[in-house]
Amino acid sequence: MKILAHAGAIIVLYLAFSFALFLGLQVDPVYGNLGLVAVAILVASYVYFGLVRR
């Protein structure tokens, strides 16, 4: 069950990253930069809460 939760989290992070790239390339670079910052925060929180702090 734990493996499926990690796989789901990685899929969600990938989709968020892809959407941030879409915003940056198709809509406005400022939105893309904000989206990449949000994805970086999500990845950092996933690493901290999901892997480091068990």
Side-chain angles (χ1 to χ4, degrees):
M1 192 63 171
K2 198 189 299 187
I3 294 172
L4 289 175
H6 284 291
I10 290 171
I11 289 171
V12 168
L13 289 172
Y14 174 75
L15 290 174
F17 178 74
S18 297
F19 186 68
L21 285 181
F22 166 75
L23 287 176
L25 293 173
Q26 298 292 326
V27 179
D28 190 10
V30 174
Y31 294 146
N33 289 338
L34 292 174
L36 289 177
V37 169
V39 169
I41 291 171
L42 287 174
V43 168
S45 64
Y46 167 70
V47 168
Y48 179 71
F49 290 115
L51 302 176
V52 175
R53 186 179 160 210
R54 289 189 202 201

